[in-house]
Amino acid sequence: MTIRPGPRNAITDVAGLRVGQAQDSRIKTGVSVVLGDRPFTAGVHVMGGAPGTRETDLLAPDKLVEEVDALVLSGGSAFGLDAASGVADGLRAMGRGFAVGDQRVPIVPGAILFDLLNGGDKGWEDNPYKALGRAALDAASEDVALGSVGAGTGATTATLKGGLGTASLLLPSGHTVGALVAVNALGSAVMGEGPEFWAAPWEIDAEFGGLGLGQSDPWPVTKLGQHESTTIAIVATDAALTQAQATRMAVAAHDGFARALVPSHTPMDGDLVFAAATGARPVAGAADLLALGHAAAITTARAIARGVHAATPCSGDTLPAWQARFGG
């Protein structure tokens, strides 16, 4: 069976979704936002041992609010949770949000990664993340930059800079699946000393170098001593999913973490996946749900490798970028 990426090979191949990104190169951090043209169904699943989140409890299938206005990925550890406040302010100004009487309350779940020890200037007096969140929202478009941008700006892995990655798949059923990942893992995206990626079996059209498989290490290297980890992702589809079904798609997408990062889901990572479903295409049954989950895992793995592959060097970096070390 032949499956292909969408025209952008990005999460925005899911019609009705846009991505906005903002970053501060001096601080070495940033924010990425997925915005829907209209509210969309969302779910979440956490498998890491050290998550940082906002409004994830309301995504449980038994909660009142079934749709969200945007999803936010941010650097900054706990400080970065304020990015969603900037996004909420911007959405409120647009007149968007959950209707409560004559008020609109934007629903903006978010997740953060730890990038406070990456060589950037963290001596701010006022938390910068609210402004970065608003700037990311204002920049939302169908074009998605990769590498050292948005929430991936200051990200790192065990031996290389991390980054912001995206990918998509068009399924035989007509559905589209896309992923957006900020890669800041305790483990490594490359096999042994590299340059080959763990995600190589899932690569399409040499999208992260076309290097194939390398030599695996019997005991993978990590950045355990730094305690600055967490990979956070959003996987999206145009399928009409319930919150419970979206949550199952988020669970399946975690397989992409395990295929692309070794080790993954550790006690020091806050690994989290949001799932978003715009509801444009009906789901025929269990076979479609299985295919959506499998595609979510494949797409997430590819997005992880693409994010690390596209990272670029910046003054003060504590780790080399893949392009600087292996790109020639």
Side-chain angles (χ1 to χ4, degrees), residues 108-198:
V108 187
I112 50 88
L113 54 81
F114 188 102
D115 59 1
L116 298 181
L117 301 177
N118 61 4
D121 180 5
K122 306 303 192 294
W124 62 72
E125 292 184 5
D126 297 314
N127 187 324
Y129 288 96
K130 186 173 184 179
L132 284 169
R134 181 66 179 266
L137 176 70
D138 292 343
S141 76
E142 293 181 338
D143 297 322
V144 186
L146 285 80
S148 302
V149 296
T153 299
T156 58
T157 68
T159 59
L160 298 168
K161 287 187 72 172
L164 193 286
T166 191
S168 69
L169 277 180
L170 305 179
L171 304 189
S173 63
H175 296 103
T176 300
V177 172
L180 184 78
V181 189
V183 187
N184 189 61
L186 182 82
S188 178
V190 297
M191 302 182 70
E193 296 183 2
E196 299 88 356
F197 287 91
W198 287 105

Side-chain angles (χ1 to χ4, degrees), residues 36-43 55 58-61 63-71 91 96-99 104-109 239-244 246 275-280:
D37 290 343
R38 57 170 303 279
F40 52 85
T41 301
E55 289 195 321
L58 63 77
L59 299 181
K63 300 301 186 288
L64 173 65
V65 177
E66 296 183 356
E67 295 181 318
V68 306
D69 296 287
L71 295 168
L91 289 167
R96 294 190 54 168
F98 185 72
R104 291 276 178 174
V105 182
I107 307 300
V108 187
L241 301 181
T242 64
Q243 276 190 308
T278 64

Side-chain angles (χ1 to χ4, degrees), residues 28 79 82 91 125 135 196 214 245 264-266 283 297-298 314:
K28 288 186 184 293
F79 300 105
D82 209 28
L91 289 167
E125 292 184 5
E196 299 88 356
Q245 290 168 337
S264 57
H265 306 134
T266 76
V283 173
I298 293 172
C314 182

